[in-house]
């Protein structure tokens, strides 16, 4: 594992609904990949500063990968208005375009909750993205008034043959075990589902386990393959 850089750059991306606020954690000079991490639902407090997003970034950055976090339209200093997931898919594509132009490296996508549901849809068909991480994937709707009572569809995963890691808390109301197992079962290989015992949707008290799970998978599926 490579020690992560302490350099953080604040910037704005040119998005279709206006500029998007972003932070880039710098990578190593010999980085093999670059990554983007997407945040949870903005109407329920989700931003690029979310703890799960931060720890996911730290896991990826620990391998020397530059990691971009950004606020979806209408969130923080990002311009525009929330678009119920439709325009946000374009926001993810803008982030992938920026990473590609900046680093010319294979890309890794990671997203938490809403960020996973929206971002996976944008990243799966993108040839520049080599691997995908879905954290707290909302595989089933929860009660109205919570993060999102809407139902997301993941049919596109059937045609997504890239390495995929799904990590959720065993007590996540948005991802009951049966729903998650059905979702992952329908996805193309290669794939892995990890349920962290005792963890809720936000991995309260289990963020270390989340980070270690991501690091272990990256070491096995990405870093090892890059060396071969």
């Amino acid at each position: 594992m490579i020690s992560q850089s302490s350099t953080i750059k604040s910037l704005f991306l040119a998005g279709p609904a206006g500029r998007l606020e972003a932070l880039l954690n710098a990578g190593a000079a010999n980085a093999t990949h670059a990554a983007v991490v997407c945040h949870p639902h903005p109407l329920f407090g989700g931003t690029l500063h979310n703890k799960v997003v931060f720890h996911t970034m730290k896991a990826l950055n620990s391998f020397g990968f530059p990691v971009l976090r950004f606020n979806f339209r209408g969130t923080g200093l990002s311009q525009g208005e929330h678009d119920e997931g439709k325009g946000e898919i374009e926001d993810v594509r803008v982030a992938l375009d920026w990473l590609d132009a900046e680093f010319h490296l294979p890309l890794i996508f990671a997203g938490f909750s809403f960020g996973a549901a929206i971002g996976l849809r944008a990243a799966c068909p993108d040839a520049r993205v080599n691997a995908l991480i879905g954290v707290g994937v909302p595989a089933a709707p929860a009660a109205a008034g919570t993060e999102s009572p809407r139902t997301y569809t993941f049919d596109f995963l059937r045609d997504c043959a890239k390495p995929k890691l799904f990590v959720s808390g065993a007590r996540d109301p948005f991802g009951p075990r049966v729903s998650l197992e059905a979702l992952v079962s329908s996805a193309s290989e290669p794939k892995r589902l990890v349920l962290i015992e005792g963890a809720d949707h936000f991995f309260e008290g289990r963020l270390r386990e989340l980070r270690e799970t991501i690091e272990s998978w990256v070491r096995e599926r990405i870093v090892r393959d890059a060396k071969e």
Side-chain angles (χ1 to χ4, degrees):
M1 187 179 298
I2 303 170
S3 297
Q4 63 196 41
S5 169
S6 60
T7 303
I8 303 175
K9 179 181 179 181
S10 177
L11 65 148
F12 288 95
L13 312 178
R19 68 184 191 176
L20 299 173
E21 179 186 15
L23 290 177
L24 176 72
N25 284 73
N30 61 344
T32 60
H33 294 73
V36 62
V37 184
C38 292
H39 68 73
H41 208 300
L43 298 187
F44 298 88
T47 74
L48 62 80
H49 299 292
N50 172 271
K51 289 182 180 179
V52 175
V53 171
F54 178 79
H55 280 267
T56 300
M57 175 278 294
K58 295 277 277 188
L60 294 165
N61 192 231
S62 69
F63 291 95
F65 306 154
V67 184
L68 181 73
R69 292 171 285 158
F70 71 94
N71 275 330
F72 284 116
R73 58 184 65 198
T75 306
L77 298 179
S78 291
Q79 296 176 328
E81 297 179 355
H82 178 66
D83 196 30
E84 299 182 351
K86 297 183 290 293
E88 285 79 3
I89 293 175
E90 295 302 320
D91 295 344
V92 178
R93 290 176 179 143
V94 165
L96 294 172
D97 288 344
W98 186 88
L99 279 172
D100 181 48
E102 187 76 10
F103 298 105
H104 306 291
L105 291 171
L107 304 179
I108 300 168
F109 168 81
F112 170 44
S113 194
F114 171 86
I118 299 306
L120 286 169
R121 186 172 292 276
C124 273
D126 193 316
R128 300 169 299 183
V129 179
N130 280 16
L132 307 140
I133 301 170
V135 180
V137 176
T146 54
E147 180 175 312
S148 179
R150 71 172 282 186
T151 299
Y152 298 95
T153 59
F154 296 92
D155 293 348
F156 60 90
L157 290 175
R158 295 172 182 165
D159 301 314
C160 186
K162 300 170 181 179
K164 295 171 290 296
L165 172 67
F166 300 92
V167 190
S168 287
R171 298 193 297 108
D172 185 348
F174 302 100
R177 183 184 297 266
V178 172
S179 299
L180 277 172
E181 288 177 346
L183 184 156
V184 174
S185 176
S186 70
S188 295
E189 295 283 358
K191 60 197 175 185
R192 180 178 300 169
L193 170 62
V194 177
L195 293 174
I196 297 178
E197 293 301 326
D200 60 12
H201 186 58
F202 294 97
F203 298 89
E204 192 67 35
R206 297 291 190 275
L207 288 167
R208 178 180 59 81
E209 289 94 327
L210 168 66
R211 184 170 166 180
E212 290 174 349
T213 297
I214 294 173
E215 289 173 351
S216 177
W217 184 80
V218 169
R219 190 178 300 111
E220 176 186 340
R221 295 295 318 197
I222 299 174
V223 174
R224 182 197 64 187
D225 292 347
K227 292 179 179 178
E228 292 179 352

